[in-house]
Amino acid sequence: MAINYKDLSDEELLYGAKTCPGCGAPIAVRLALKILGARTFVCVTASCLGATTTVYPQTSFFVNNAIAAFPATASTIAGMSAAVEMQGLEDVTILGIAGDGGTADIGLQALSGLCERNDNVIFICYDNEAYMNTGIQRSSATPYGAWTTTSPVNETGTAKGETRIRKNLFDIVSAHRVPYCATASTSYPRDFMEKIAKAKNLKGTKFVHVHAPCPTGWGYPSEKTIEYGRLAVETGLWYLAEYENGKVTLNLAPKVFKPVESYLAPQRRFRHLKEEDFKVIEKQRDEEWALLKAKAAS
Amino acid sequence: MKPHLNKDFRFPTNEREMLFGSGGDTGNLTAVNSGWRTFRPVIDHGKCIRCLFCWTYCPDGVIGKEDTELTIDYDYCKGCGICANECPKQAISMIKEEK
């Protein structure tokens, strides 16, 4: 489905949220709700988005929404989809939204159960690469080398930020053989909205993992959110891919990657990195892409 | 049409009026976000080509496209500057707020 910005509704279904200026998460959610429309029932887990959209007495979602406990997004939307089916509501979309911690760490077993049962829902994971809501703690989606309050950096070089590579959620979810699984970025809104539109028309569990930069946690000026999201894709540290009918498709494969320094060096969380650390990150990236390309070719 | 501030909202005065659980409306805006702003975006309509990049990328969705010229809802704009940074024609400038 081709997306034309002119034809999209001007109606906002997420408005007035108390997110930091320049936050990536509301970009993802408002664009998704533009495609899904007002007949969407949303469940948000404990996350930045959950905390900022429901500051008592303000409610920023203009669709039905529930707040779930941290591990329970997937199980809550499974229940909602069962209820909708029982009542025979056919025009309703069930949407679960969680952050990377609520998906990859705390919410993972419920998500796995959801994918295995193949309940008819859409799950969006907005990935800002740490637990930003509680004050920048590392999650399993934090990239190698990143500073967080629980992966600190010191001057002697014994603590060098995050030491592990990030968990690959796209692989985990596509291994469940769900009908649809995709990665997207808020900096590529057309691609993201096309993926949401595709997910809307499919039955079963649909998973979209969207990269949403965080100016507060990553340490960059608020106006650069889109720029850094784009740089992450251009340097190959994030990718846009789709899994459908057992096949992986790459939506955007840069022929030549930009140097990783252009993305990493300006961010506060990576400013301790040295030349050899960039080499390590480049090596990890090339290995990741070799795997990804092999999967896309098969 | 953008949502707007609910001017009729009154805080509950006793426990019977409190909103609990599934009570309460969706989309109840009781406070504006404009006090967060240091710089305000101003569109130069002569340069604007209506590519709608600002409309798409705005995290708060404050840019309206229903009129012939793009509008900004200054009640909910936080002044992040994404619109000015992404505008391909540099038609949006960030101007310091003065009280």
Side-chain angles (χ1 to χ4, degrees):
Chain A
M1 181 184 156
I3 301 285
N4 193 340
Y5 295 157
K6 282 193 185 71
D7 305 336
L8 290 172
S9 158
D10 204 29
E11 187 189 14
E12 299 295 335
L13 296 169
L14 173 72
Y15 205 71
K18 304 288 184 190
T19 49
C20 307
C23 178
I27 307 179
V29 176
R30 66 176 272 268
L31 293 181
L33 285 175
K34 278 201 193 294
I35 302 294
L36 299 175
R39 289 293 281 166
T40 307
F41 297 171
V42 178
C43 170
V44 189
T45 190
S47 59
C48 279
L49 196 75
T52 54
T53 52
T54 50
V55 181
Y56 183 86
Q58 178 150 307
T59 47
S60 297
F61 271 108
F62 285 71
V63 291
N64 287 330
N65 70 96
I67 303 284
F70 220 146
T73 328
S75 28
T76 308
I77 53 176
M80 283 159 76
S81 86
V84 162
E85 204 181 309
M86 281 273 286
Q87 294 188 18
L89 303 174
E90 289 189 353
D91 56 341
V92 171
T93 313
I94 307 289
L95 173 67
I97 306 166
D100 51 300
T103 311
D105 295 343
I106 302 175
L108 189 60
Q109 68 89 12
L111 175 67
S112 177
L114 177 81
C115 296
E116 188 261 319
R117 289 189 303 273
N118 203 17
D119 292 308
N120 189 20
V121 298
I122 302 177
F123 193 111
I124 293 181
C125 166
Y126 74 90
D127 189 349
N128 46 26
E129 305 188 334
Y131 289 90
M132 297 307 183
N133 185 31
T134 46
I136 325 169
Q137 287 85 16
R138 78 167 283 278
S139 77
S140 56
T142 304
Y144 176 86
W147 165 91
T148 65
T149 51
T150 47
S151 60
V153 173
N154 64 8
E155 276 146 23
T156 53
T158 46
K160 298 171 87 175
E162 176 60 37
T163 52
R164 297 280 308 141
I165 58 161
R166 59 187 300 164
K167 204 183 259 185
N168 192 327
L169 261 181
F170 178 69
D171 283 1
I172 293 173
V173 177
S174 56
H176 288 77
R177 306 289 179 261
V178 290
Y180 188 71
C181 168
T183 61
S185 167
T186 48
S187 302
Y188 293 81
R190 210 180 293 268
D191 171 78
F192 173 61
M193 286 191 276
E194 277 166 8
K195 283 169 179 172
I196 295 288
K198 203 181 242 184
K200 190 187 179 187
N201 294 327
L202 288 168
K203 255 195 124 51
T205 302
K206 287 84 64 179
F207 179 82
V208 181
H209 188 184
V210 52
H211 197 228
C214 167
T216 312
W218 296 13
Y220 64 83
S222 63
E223 72 269 21
K224 305 273 185 194
T225 294
I226 303 300
E227 222 175 288
Y228 282 121
R230 204 178 291 129
L231 273 173
V233 175
E234 285 168 352
T235 54
L237 296 176
W238 185 254
Y239 54 83
L240 307 177
E242 268 178 313
Y243 168 89
E244 203 183 0
N245 304 326
K247 276 200 79 72
V248 174
T249 321
L250 279 169
N251 302 101
L252 195 137
K255 284 207 177 67
V256 184
F257 293 124
K258 281 196 177 168
V260 292
E261 293 95 312
S262 62
Y263 168 60
L264 302 174
Q267 297 180 42
R268 190 186 58 215
R269 60 175 182 159
F270 288 117
R271 72 176 166 198
H272 58 283
L273 294 187
K274 302 203 172 54
E275 203 52 46
E276 63 263 27
D277 301 312
F278 293 134
K279 291 259 157 38
V280 174
I281 291 172
E282 260 166 20
K283 189 166 164 279
Q284 288 171 355
R285 174 196 69 188
D286 294 342
E287 284 168 5
E288 182 77 40
W289 273 88
L291 276 174
L292 194 65
K293 283 194 171 145
K295 247 179 266 164
S298 67
Chain B
M1 188 60 199
K2 300 287 178 186
H4 47 80
L5 182 69
N6 180 2
K7 290 206 176 88
D8 302 327
F9 180 80
R10 297 284 172 272
F11 272 90
T13 50
N14 59 51
E15 71 277 12
R16 271 189 224 108
E17 290 174 9
M18 291 284 276
L19 310 173
F20 279 120
S22 56
D25 296 330
T26 59
N28 184 18
L29 301 180
T30 58
V32 295
N33 295 341
S34 56
W36 297 32
R37 202 167 52 224
T38 318
F39 294 92
R40 72 161 50 208
V42 177
I43 304 177
D44 178 349
H45 295 291
K47 285 189 192 167
C48 175
I49 52 165
R50 278 185 80 97
C51 63
L52 299 180
F53 280 14
C54 55
W55 178 86
T56 322
Y57 288 128
C58 177
D60 292 290
V62 298
I63 295 171
K65 66 180 176 76
E66 277 180 344
D67 300 337
T68 46
E69 291 184 337
L70 296 183
T71 55
I72 298 179
D73 178 358
Y74 288 110
D75 272 358
Y76 287 97
C77 170
K78 294 174 190 151
C80 67
I82 288 180
C83 50
N85 197 51
E86 292 306 316
C87 181
K89 295 284 170 192
Q90 281 82 43
I92 304 178
S93 42
M94 301 300 287
I95 292 168
K96 185 134 197 222
E97 289 281 349
E98 282 170 37
K99 270 265 154 74

